[in-house]
Each structure stands twice: as C-alpha cells, then as structure tokens.
C-alpha cells in the first residue's frame, strides 16, 4: 500500500525566511516579450510568494536605492547576491505539460516504428509491468524505482511543475503523487483511463475498474496536500479516444466538472491514429469533435501533440480555450509529424506549451525540448518554404514557462517573475562545474565581480542585453542539467548542486 | 611565433606497454553490419596497433582459452578487464570530418539567418579576429584560448581524429597543429584559402599571400610530426567556390597532387549559394563541375554538406571516389536542408561520414551528430513519405567511425577493431559519474560482476545482444561527454575521467 500520507514531509512546504534574490532575471511576460533584467532584486516571502521586485538596483548610486533602503530598514531577510556573476541568471522553473512517468525506462528505445506499433511493442508491455507484478511489494518497488528517478531527473533539469501520465494502476499512481510531494515538484497526476484496448488486451481495465480507481486516487490526493497548498492534483486522463468507450469518455467529462479537475489527453498525433478515430467514431466529424461531444474540451484541457489538426479543429480548440502541449522531440523520434506551432500561436492564438512526452520523446529536459521545438520548426519552414513558420528563442521560452503555466491553469501563479506569483525558479550557471557551455570572457555582458562604475564604462545596456541574448542561445543549444544549479519550488530550494557554500555570497541581514 | 616544435611533447606518442583490453566491443565493420562482441580481448602493442583479437573469451571454460593461454605464457602485458561491467563498452574513436575550429566561440549564436548572411554577420567577423589583433602575442593568445578549448572539448567527446578548418591565418594555423599534438588528437589542419571575398572584403587574402601561407604551413607541419608517425597533416582547403578565384582553385588542385595532400571544401549547402556558384562559374554545368574542372575531386576529397546535389553531381562524386561529410545539426540550425543520405549510401554507394560543422552546427560532439542525423532523416522521410529515407543506428555509427576513416584516407588504419589498425578508441560507461543515461538493472545484458556460469543461465546471446542494442539507443539518445570516460589515440590514453583507480580493475602480469 502507499505510504501513510501523514508520514510524508513535503519538500516544498518547510519553513523559510524572507529572502531577497539579487541578480539577472530573464522571463517572457508575454508571447512576444523577452525581458532581461540585470541588477534586479526579487523578494520572496515565507509563503514562497514574490512580493517585491526592484529593477536596476545599483548599490553605488545612492539616489536610486530608496525603495530598497526602506525595505532594508523595515524587514529581516536573507540576501542572495549573484549580481556580479555574468554567467548566472534566474529563469522561471520549466513546466512540462506532457510526460509519461511510467515510460521513463524506455527512453532511447523504439526508434523503429510509428505510434500504433510503438504502443504495442514498447509502451503497453512496460506500463503493464506496473499492474502485473508477482506481489504488491514488488510492484511498488518497481514503480518507486522508476517514479523516483523521473521526478529527480526532471527536477534536476529545472522542471518545477509537470503534468504526468502514470498507468492504469491506482496504487502506484498514488505512490507517484506521494513521491512528487517528497521531492518537491508541483505535479498533476494522471492515472491513464482506457477501457477499450483492442490491440493489446492484456493492458486494459473495465469501465467499473476505472471509476473505482479514479475515486480512490481523487480521495487519496485530496488528503495528501498540506494545508492551504495544492502541490499535487489529479488530472482526468482519457489516454486517447481509440482506447476509451463512449461511456468512459462521458464519465470522465462529468468527473472533471463535478470535481473541478483539469483534463489531459492526446490528439491528432499520427495519421493512422486519425483514421482509426474516424473509423471508431463515424458520427463525429473529426478527432476534436470526439472529445468535444463528451464534454472533454475546456479551458483546463491539455491536448498533447495536435500535429495534423484541421482548420475546424483549431477553431474548436480556440473557442474552448484548450491548451496544446507541443512535443517536438517525440514527434520526430517516432516520425509523427511537424506541428505548425507558429500558426497556432500567432494566427489561431491558441495557447501552446511544451511537453517532453517521455518516452516517445527521448529527453526529459524541457531545455532540450526548447531546442528541439526550434529545430523542428526549421524543418517545417524548409518544407513550407515559409520563414514565418520558424519559432524564435522567445517563443520557445514562453511556451516552456508561461505557456505551460496557462496550460495547467496556473497562469496567475507561476511562469514569470511577477508580484503575487510563487517563486518556482531555476538558477542557471553557464560556468557551473563540468558545464558543457563554452563562454569566453569577451562574450560576457559584464565583467565578473565588477564594480558598477567599471562596468558602466564598458558596455551600453543594449550591448549588454545583446550579449546576454547570445548567452541564452548558448544555454539553449549547448546547456544541460549541469547548468541548472539550483531549483526552487514554492519558494523552497529543492535542488542544490553547488557543492561549496563559498560559491554563494550569502549575506544574512 | 608558434612554439619551437622541438618543445612539443606529443601526447599520443609516449612509451606504452603491451596491453590486453577485455570487455564488450562494439563497431561497424561494414555499412550494414553492427558487431556487438561480449567477452572479447583486444591486444594493443607498444606502437598502439591492434595485433591480437580473441572473441568469446571465457576464463571459466578451459577448453576455449588456448590462444589466450598461449599468449599469456609468452608475453608480458597489462590486462584491463571491464568484462563484468554491463554498462561499459568500447567503441572506435569518433572521426569528425568537418569542423571549423575558429568558429567554436559562436556555438549557439546566429540562429536567425541563412548561410550567406550568417557568414557575413557572424563567421567572417570572428575568423578575422585571428588575423587582426593588436599584436602577434595577443593574436596567439586569442587563438590559443579557442583552439585549446575546441581540441579538449572534442577529445572529451570521444573524437580521436578530426578534419579542421582554421582561418586564413598561417601563424595561428601552425599553432593549432601544435596544440593537436600536445593534446593527442589526430588532426587534418586546413588553413582556409579564399582570395575573393566580395561580400566581406575585410576578411580575405591575395592569391600570393595564400601561396606563401600554404607553403609555410606545409613546411611547419612536416617538421612537427614525431618520427614514423603522422599525427597532424595539412589538408588543402579552398573554403568554397564563391570565395576563390579560378587561379587559386587550380593552384590548390596542383598543390594537392604535388604534396600528396587531401582536400576539403563545402558543396551545395544552400540554394542561394548554388545560384551564386552558377553566376560566378557560368561555364561549369554545376557546383561539382567547378571543383572537378580545377582537379579538386579525388579519393582524398571531403565534400561537406552536399545537400542539394543533382543526379549528375552524385555520379561525378561517386566516380571520383570523394567522400561526403554530412552535417545534419548545422543543416537544421541554419535551415540549409535535409540531405538524402540514405540514398547516397545505398543507391549511389558514396562514402558518407559525419561532421559537427561547428559553429553552423551547435554541438561539437559526434555522438550528438549521430542522434541528429537519425532525427533529420526522420524529417526527410516524413517529407518524402518514404520510410527508406530513415537512417538506422548502424548507419549512423558507421558514418561516425569507419565512414569517417575512409573520408580522411585512413580506412585501413582506424575506424574499427581490426588487426593492424591503430587503437583509437573510447570507453563508454552508461553509469559514469553524473551520467545522464538512466538504466535500470533489468535492462542490462548481463549481471554486474557475474560469474560466467550465472550469466549463462539467464539470457541467450541473442537476448543479450538485443539488450545491448537498446543500451546503444540510450547512449545515442541520452548520452553525452560524461559517458565517454576514457579515450585512447594511437594506443595512448589521452583522456581519463575516472577519478579513482579502484574503478578500474587493473591486473599487471
């Protein structure tokens, strides 16, 4: 059985002091806007909420420091200063809106077949292991090994929030939610619902089993969250239309409404899959209509892949305010297609976020998915011969953060640095130990451990921003988990790879 | 001035003992063949040459060990045993057949423009820094910082041999060759030749300057190699047709013949570039004919990119036995196109190798290029709707090793594990410190520190090979420099990331 929830010590809920973070902050307040702020102070209260932001703080210029002086006089706080380290910067924690935790061991395997074969040959057999072990103990051990690893891995890559698929199994799904709390990652927990698996009958459940399992999970997770904080939440997860009966789809639509729970599923990933949906639901005009008919489309619905949508489907998705989870890495690995994301974002004005889609996707890092979504958009642009299909660094960073926040229904709580938002944040260091990023001194936006006067002489603000933008490119195209040196979730430090404290210049005030 | 060559201590030439390496060896003896050999012993003599191979060595089975027993009785040697470590395996060192050492600092920068603009905005200004510094000292320091970093980086990623472009500058090119020797990487050193740079006149040389520079480099490198070993070699490098006069192209063709030196250049990377070549050489039918007319195509010619070749060009390239260097990462980054490599390999039977093309390519690791070439071939297959356009893991591994060896004219010396070949090798460890690869125990081909009898009971040879093949997929799709724990060049250990010796089980015999 899952651990008694009272024994769990949620990592993102312990007591913290008020803290001022000082340094370079980079985020995308809106789709078209990339904000690079040097010498910025962000204050985080003991609930983990940002309640103070001061840009261009310059301790040498006495005239412009009054708000901070005021602050300093009136509060006790910790002060963490990276302002003089040009290769360090804060970015919002990544939000992965589509990841199959249970498929984690299959990463890198199964290159040889398209979606429907890939499911039968690789995915269903592995997911079935979570239900079919010799004993409950061995099942839980099997699941715990995998689930711990995937949470640790994604957190180490800066993912502070993710929307997960587990398996059909309720016990190990509850265990997964407990592990999320223990490691300190915000998570949406999706027990996979599928009562009609024709091609791989071994791995399926009955309609009644699914109802029982969903109820068990909703109850368990309700009791799991600490007071006043929702860190883990169930998400209604019909796997995808072809493996669900109409009864189940209707039930899940109702369940979402009655419990006010978000929904996630797959849509229009592969052409054969679309044909199959047409055959199975001849009364529905298209794939999106199948979900729409069963009340599964709404502003808290995440639709993964959405590669081959018709104009009409895009219109429904926009009308219903659903979000798309774009999974470029997976779409290339199993040759599903190249989704026209730029069009979705700018023509249809649909919200798009990013998903690793482990293990269709072979990389559990959203930083890698940022890179891949740009590269995949280049392939699309080469095909359409339309430069406008290319995604920019801004677009990609937005989808990885604020686009993700909107997809999981937390647009006002995470995704950017704004007053009132939770401090779900990564500290990036391009010169971390063993970093794969190569930066030469002449490429830095300012000198290391400069005095502000020294620095002022050398580069204009615009030149500094240009250099910082180039470093962002370096981070995206050659960075990895090694550059994500600290991660905060809910204002709590949940990952710290800095081995020696002298690396930080802490000043206790 | 470059260092006096007598002061250089080449790393890949020091004295070594005869050594037997025991473990799992993986290589591609031919394009269609992937050989996974467990329990194999490879003997390397004190010249760094493989002179003994024994497969399926099993110390428990006295009947099949006679050749090894014979060997043990008659020789003194070191014995390095990884045979009981299922996540460790030997693969041939990678061969990078197209990399611009001088562009290394630009990695990750310049996403916004296609080839010709990219050259003018990013590449030429940086390369020009190697010629234009205030003083010789500062120029050499600038070059040394960059060149040391690129060699260290590529070696750390398992590249034991590379064909480099430097800049037009002879002094820093000579310095680069010295650094290759010092770090212990086999290298082809290509001073860029370009006497007709119309679009960026600041960065060019006259025909006479180019001749003088080439002679200086050929002389310097001739004196640089240790006795009886050619570790660094000049390679004739007309940058690409549009920046060379006809006189220069003719001269370089002759120079290659008179000094028996290989040739490298770019071909058919970008559609605008192809139009430009047509405009500049109206008397030549196509791009390949420009090089052919100037005697630049032969069996020691490496043609980088080769994306948009006509049938006729493919025929010339095959007839002349040139090799192609496929640079998928670069071709996607600056949106040049998707080269139909599978067709080149299997229909035209052209030799194809892999190039990082730093910094058009943003990754200096050939392991990443293996991954990218597979992914890019998926995009091509999605476009052509022809599954046959997809490259396999075998294809990619072949191009990265034996295909590369053939491209640099060393097919009989490096690229596979064969008697008489140099031991240019990587030791891969999927469970190295801080590895990004996740492997669960039940995915291993055999148990760690098994006795052979134990192991025999569990899995058949075929099952073992299947599991090892899946691990290869994991290495390719989630591995990186951290998994390349040791690198030998010319039989000498030139990279060793294993911090503690107890990690190795050395037995001195």
């Amino acid at each position: 059985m899952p651990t008694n929830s009272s024994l769990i010590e949620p990592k993102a809920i312990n007591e913290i002091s008020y803290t001022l973070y000082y340094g370079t902050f980079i985020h995308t307040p809106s789709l078209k806007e990339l904000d690079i702020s040097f010498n910025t102070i962000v204050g985080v209260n003991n609930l983990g909420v940002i309640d103070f932001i001061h840009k261009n703080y310059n301790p040498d210029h006495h005239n412009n420091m009054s708000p901070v002086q005021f602050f300093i006089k009136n509060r006790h706080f910790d002060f963490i200063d990276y302002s003089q380290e040009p290769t360090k910067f804060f970015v919002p924690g990544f939000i992965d809106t589509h990841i199959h935790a249970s498929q984690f061991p299959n990463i890198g395997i199964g290159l040889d077949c398209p979606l429907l074969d890939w499911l039968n040959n690789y995915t269903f057999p592995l997911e079935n292991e979570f239900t079919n072990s010799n004993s409950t103990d061995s099942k839980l051990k099997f699941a715990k090994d995998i689930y711990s690893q995937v949470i640790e891995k994604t957190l180490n890559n800066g993912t502070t929030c993710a929307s997960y698929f587990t398996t059909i199994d309720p016990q190990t799904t509850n265990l997964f939610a407990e592990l999320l709390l223990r490691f300190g990652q915000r998570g949406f927990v999706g027990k996979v619902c599928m009562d009609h698996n024709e091609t791989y009958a071994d791995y399926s459940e009955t309609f009644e089993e699914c109802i029982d399992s969903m109820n068990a999970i909703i109850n368990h997770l309700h009791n799991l969250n600490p007071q006043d904080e929702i860190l883990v939440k169930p998400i209604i997860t019909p796997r995808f239309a072809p493996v669900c009966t109409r009864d189940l789809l209707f039930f899940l639509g109702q369940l979402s409404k009655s419990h006010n729970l978000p929904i996630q599923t797959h849509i229009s990933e592969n052409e054969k899959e679309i044909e199959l949906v047409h055959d199975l639901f001849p009364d529905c005009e298209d794939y999106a209509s199948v979900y729409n008919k069963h009340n599964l489309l709404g502003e808290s619905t995440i639709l993964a892949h959405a590669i081959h949508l018709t104009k009409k489907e895009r219109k429904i998705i926009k009308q219903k305010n659903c979000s798309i989870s774009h999974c470029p890495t997976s779409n290339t690995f199993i040759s599903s297609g190249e989704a026209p994301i730029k069009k979705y974002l700018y023509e249809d004005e649909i919200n798009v976020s990013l998903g690793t889609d482990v293990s269709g996707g072979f990389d559990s890092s959203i930083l890698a998915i940022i890179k891949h979504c740009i590269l995949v958009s280049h392939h699309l642009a080469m095909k359409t011969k339309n430069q406008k299909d290319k995604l920019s660094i801004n677009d990609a960073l937005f989808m990885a953060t604020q686009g993700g926040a909107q997809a999981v229904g937390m647009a006002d709580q995470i995704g950017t640095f704004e007053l009132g938002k939770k401090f779900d944040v990564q500290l990036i260091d391009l010169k971390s130990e063993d970093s794969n990023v190569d930066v030469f001194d002449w490429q830095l936006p300012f000198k290391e451990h400069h005095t502000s006067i020294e620095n002022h002489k050398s580069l204009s603000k615009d030149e500094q921003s240009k250099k910082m933008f180039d470093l962002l490119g370096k981070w995206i195209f050659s960075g990895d988990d090694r550059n994500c040196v600290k991660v905060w979730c809910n204002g709590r430090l949940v990952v710290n790879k800095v081995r020696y404290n002298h690396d930080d210049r802490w000043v206790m005030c």
Side-chain angles (χ1 to χ4, degrees), chain A:
Chain A
M1 283 300 293
T3 324
N4 185 323
S5 59
S6 63
L7 296 176
I8 299 169
E9 289 178 29
K11 202 166 178 178
I13 207 69
N14 59 328
E15 217 167 280
I16 48 171
S17 317
Y18 193 100
T19 307
L20 288 180
Y21 297 91
Y22 183 30
T24 303
F25 286 77
I26 299 177
H27 70 153
T28 50
S30 71
L31 180 57
K32 291 171 192 167
E33 200 182 345
L34 177 73
D35 181 72
I36 298 175
S37 297
F38 299 104
N39 299 312
T40 292
I41 298 184
V42 170
V44 179
N45 70 21
N46 54 9
L47 297 171
V49 171
I50 297 172
D51 72 354
F52 177 84
I53 297 179
H54 183 75
K55 291 191 177 190
N56 298 314
Y57 173 68
N58 188 335
D60 302 332
H61 290 195
H62 291 286
N63 292 340
N64 81 3
M65 68 183 286
S66 54
V68 181
Q69 269 187 325
F70 172 82
F71 198 92
I72 287 173
K73 277 185 190 151
N74 288 281
R75 295 281 286 265
H76 293 282
F77 57 90
D78 292 351
F79 187 67
I80 298 181
D81 180 2
Y82 297 117
S83 66
Q84 299 194 43
E85 301 181 53
T87 58
K88 287 191 178 148
F89 53 93
F90 293 95
V91 290
F94 289 138
I95 297 157
D96 183 349
T97 59
H98 188 65
I99 172 167
H100 293 264
S102 53
Q103 293 174 24
F104 186 69
N106 270 351
I107 278 185
I109 298 175
L111 187 66
D112 52 323
C113 44
L115 180 66
L116 301 179
D117 300 326
W118 176 84
L119 285 169
N120 290 324
N121 297 345
Y122 297 99
T123 308
F124 293 151
L126 173 58
E127 287 191 24
N128 209 17
E129 294 282 319
F130 288 78
T131 65
N132 266 350
S133 262
N134 299 331
S135 68
T136 303
D137 274 359
S138 76
K139 179 173 94 170
L140 288 173
K141 187 193 172 312
F142 180 81
K144 192 179 174 187
D145 282 355
I146 293 168
Y147 286 158
S148 303
Q149 189 80 354
V150 71
I151 299 168
E152 263 199 291
K153 184 79 170 217
T154 51
L155 263 178
N156 270 314
N157 280 284
T159 300
T160 49
C161 177
S163 192
Y164 286 101
F165 285 54
T166 55
T167 68
I168 61 172
D169 184 67
Q171 252 189 332
T172 49
T173 297
N174 283 340
L175 171 69
F176 179 71
E178 294 165 16
L179 291 168
L180 280 173
L181 276 180
R182 200 168 286 173
F183 284 101
Q185 186 179 55
R186 239 178 253 288
F188 292 81
V189 178
K191 172 216 149 352
V192 173
C193 299
M194 47 191 288
D195 64 342
H196 177 70
N197 195 3
E198 284 213 316
T199 56
Y200 196 91
D202 262 9
Y203 182 57
S204 188
E205 58 188 347
T206 64
F207 175 64
E208 291 72 22
E209 282 168 342
C210 184
I211 295 179
D212 290 348
S213 298
M214 282 308 296
N215 287 332
I217 291 166
I218 290 169
N219 284 334
H220 188 74
L221 267 66
H222 182 76
N223 298 324
L224 215 55
N225 281 301
Q227 220 180 354
D228 300 329
E229 291 279 356
I230 297 177
L231 295 171
V232 295
K233 196 172 184 173
I235 182 164
I236 307 291
T237 307
R239 184 181 202 113
F240 69 146
V243 294
C244 299
T245 60
R246 286 157 195 262
D247 285 348
L248 183 61
L249 292 175
F250 269 122
F251 166 75
L252 294 175
Q254 283 168 348
L255 194 66
S256 162
K257 283 229 165 37
S258 59
H259 287 74
N260 194 24
L261 291 176
I263 295 169
Q264 64 182 354
T265 189
H266 299 85
I267 196 169
S268 199
E269 179 175 359
N270 167 290
E271 285 167 1
K272 282 236 159 60
E273 170 212 12
I274 297 169
E275 283 171 29
L276 182 61
V277 171
H278 276 289
D279 292 349
L280 291 169
F281 300 87
D283 52 314
C284 297
E285 196 178 343
D286 49 39
Y287 205 153
S289 301
V290 175
Y291 293 133
N292 196 27
K293 189 175 179 177
H294 297 88
N295 306 317
L296 290 160
L297 298 187
E299 62 177 12
S300 60
T301 301
I302 303 170
L303 297 168
H305 301 292
I307 301 172
H308 311 280
L309 298 176
T310 63
K311 266 203 171 168
K312 206 161 177 186
E313 286 179 298
R314 287 155 63 178
K315 214 169 159 188
I316 299 176
I317 289 170
K318 173 61 189 168
Q319 273 173 353
K320 294 284 176 177
N321 258 321
C322 307
S323 289
I324 286 172
S325 176
H326 176 40
C327 308
T329 317
S330 164
N331 297 344
T332 304
F333 190 77
I334 53 176
S335 303
S336 302
E338 296 139 353
I341 298 303
K342 197 83 178 196
K343 284 201 177 69
Y344 296 167
L345 286 171
Y346 289 87
E347 286 179 19
D348 304 323
E349 296 181 344
I350 294 171
N351 180 56
V352 186
S353 56
L354 295 181
T356 56
D357 191 29
V358 166
S359 71
F362 53 80
D363 211 311
S364 41
S365 153
I366 286 288
L367 183 66
I369 310 307
I370 288 177
K371 172 172 70 184
H372 292 146
C373 84
I374 294 171
L375 296 174
V376 167
S377 79
H378 282 210
H379 284 283
L380 181 65
M382 289 192 272
K383 190 160 76 182
T384 61
K385 299 194 183 293
N386 186 354
Q387 292 295 309
K388 285 189 184 161
D389 283 328
K390 286 188 186 180
L391 291 163
S392 68
I393 285 179
N394 301 19
D395 297 332
L397 206 55
F398 177 84
M399 290 191 285
T401 55
Q402 183 61 16
Q406 189 176 325
V408 299
M410 299 182 75
D412 56 344
Q413 294 169 74
I414 52 176
T416 58
F417 300 106
E418 276 176 79
L419 291 180
K421 282 198 172 184
K422 295 285 191 176
F423 193 72
D424 281 17
V425 172
Q426 313 170 54
L427 176 68
I428 305 302
D429 182 4
L430 301 182
K431 285 199 172 172
S432 60
E433 196 186 333
D434 203 22
S435 168
N436 188 51
V437 182
D438 297 284
V439 185
F440 295 86
D441 283 349
W442 46 272
Q443 299 184 303
L444 297 175
F446 53 85
K447 283 185 192 164
E448 228 155 318
H449 301 298
H450 63 93
T451 68
S452 301
I453 294 156
E454 237 183 351
N455 202 49
H456 238 65
K457 277 185 193 162
S458 46
L459 288 175
S460 72
K461 271 263 172 287
D462 278 358
E463 286 167 327
Q464 281 193 312
S465 292
K466 168 74 178 82
K467 278 184 182 277
M468 196 68 226
F469 184 77
D470 284 348
L471 294 192
L472 266 188
K474 287 193 168 292
W475 172 49
I476 290 172
F477 285 98
S478 43
D480 58 31
D481 56 295
R482 287 171 279 192
N483 303 108
C484 174
V485 293
K486 295 193 179 199
V487 180
W488 292 263
C489 184
N490 212 33
R492 277 73 173 184
L493 189 66
V494 292
V495 172
N496 185 359
K497 300 178 195 167
V498 181
R499 295 192 190 197
Y500 306 107
N501 265 335
H502 68 252
D503 186 273
D504 289 341
R505 304 191 304 127
W506 289 66
V507 184
M508 305 298 281
C509 299

